[in-house]
Amino acid sequence: MTEIEELRAANEALANRVGKLEDITDIRRLQFAYGYYIDYCHYEDVVNLFAEDGEVVFLSGLYKGHKGIRRVYIDWILNLFNEGREGADDGFLFDHIQMQDVVTVADDRQTAKGRFRGVLLGGSHDIRKFKPAGVPQQFMESGMYENDYVRENGVWKIKRLDYRLQWQAEYETGWAHTDAHLHQAQVLFPEDPLGPDELLDVVRPTWPYRQDFPVHWVHPTVARHMIKPKQ
């Protein structure tokens, strides 16, 4: 290999490394934007973060495509917490904090995987007349995301958002004395108008029950790969 060829190879390798770093930044920005849009009930913006054939896994149910994604975020969550109104509502707290991210971009830079921890502080102030049915007035929540991303027409989008609830608790009594107020889906759409398109073939117990949620990456020091189970 000539000196010019070596320089070209080194330049290509460096450009690929820089490109992957830019991809990681874009994906982090995408996931953080997801949290901010949910905070203030901008669910149309949430839906548009997903690829056309994207999907959501929530409470052991799989919601497919933009129709399924709209069903979980708009028909269910937006109506439950904000009576279907887009935008901030006085007296309603719904802060979704996205953090502890580990993002892995594929060598071809067309797909990626990301793990994030989500922490939620939510509830309704006394001034708010509307109180979501079956939801504590003040509550806390934490969950793990193990997501897939895809570059669609040059833009990173969420391919599969897989949220596994870790715990929920009423603020007054804490996680030691309460269980999760959201539970596993049982009935599919359209029998349940808000139901998922499919049920996962694995059990995902909610708090106080716990199970491991394998990561997508290779261990950084011993190079052991924890295989993500097929779902």
Side-chain angles (χ1 to χ4, degrees):
M1 181 179 291
T2 67
E3 183 176 356
I4 294 297
E5 289 173 334
E6 289 178 351
L7 288 172
R8 285 176 177 169
N11 186 63
E12 289 177 2
L14 181 59
N16 186 60
R17 289 179 62 189
V18 171
K20 281 191 173 182
L21 290 173
E22 291 176 340
D23 293 334
I24 290 171
T25 298
D26 289 343
I27 290 166
R28 293 178 73 239
R29 181 185 181 94
L30 172 65
Q31 186 66 35
F32 293 160
Y34 168 88
Y36 281 117
Y37 289 147
I38 290 182
D39 291 349
Y40 294 100
C41 296
H42 292 294
Y43 286 98
E44 290 288 349
D45 291 317
V46 170
V47 173
N48 289 327
L49 296 176
F50 286 83
E52 286 298 323
D53 59 349
E55 54 190 28
V56 171
V57 179
F58 185 60
L59 295 176
S60 77
L62 177 63
Y63 298 80
K64 294 183 173 182
H66 277 206
K67 288 184 178 179
I69 294 168
R70 289 182 63 84
R71 191 161 66 248
V72 66
Y73 286 110
I74 296 177
D75 297 346
W76 179 15
I77 297 177
L78 183 60
N79 277 295
L80 172 62
F81 286 104
N82 213 31
E83 296 183 296
R85 295 186 300 274
E86 286 266 338
D89 199 19
D90 289 344
F92 180 48
L93 180 69
F94 210 42
D95 287 357
H96 287 69
I97 304 164
Q98 313 281 290
M99 59 186 178
Q100 292 185 325
D101 47 294
V102 178
V103 179
T104 306
V105 178
D107 289 338
D108 64 3
R109 296 183 52 210
Q110 298 304 304
T111 61
K113 292 181 178 294
R115 187 183 183 97
F116 293 77
R117 182 186 299 276
V119 176
L120 166 62
L121 301 175
S124 299
H125 193 278
D126 287 337
I127 69 167
R128 194 181 194 220
K129 294 180 180 180
F130 173 72
K131 304 291 193 300
V135 177
Q137 186 172 353
Q138 297 183 106
F139 66 94
M140 304 172 290
E141 175 180 321
S142 180
M144 295 288 191
Y145 297 90
E146 187 68 46
N147 297 343
D148 295 308
Y149 304 88
V150 64
R151 194 191 298 275
E152 186 177 82
N153 298 321
V155 178
W156 282 106
K157 293 188 177 182
I158 302 171
K159 172 71 172 179
R160 177 184 171 102
L161 185 138
D162 189 346
Y163 179 71
R164 182 170 299 192
L165 178 66
Q166 296 293 292
W167 56 265
Q168 286 180 320
E170 295 186 29
Y171 180 81
E172 287 82 0
T173 52
W175 48 81
H177 306 288
T178 54
D179 58 8
H181 58 263
L182 291 176
H183 301 285
Q184 307 295 329
Q186 301 291 332
V187 182
L188 295 177
F189 178 83
E191 182 179 352
D192 179 355
L194 302 178
D197 296 293
E198 293 181 12
L199 294 177
L200 302 182
D201 58 1
V202 294
V203 177
R204 289 186 168 184
T206 53
W207 181 253
Y209 304 103
R210 300 270 278 170
Q211 60 178 324
D212 194 20
F213 193 5
V215 301
H216 71 265
W217 63 83
V218 174
H219 190 285
T221 63
V222 301
R224 183 176 67 250
H225 199 128
M226 294 179 65
I227 303 297
K228 184 178 179 181
K230 184 177 179 181
Q231 296 180 344

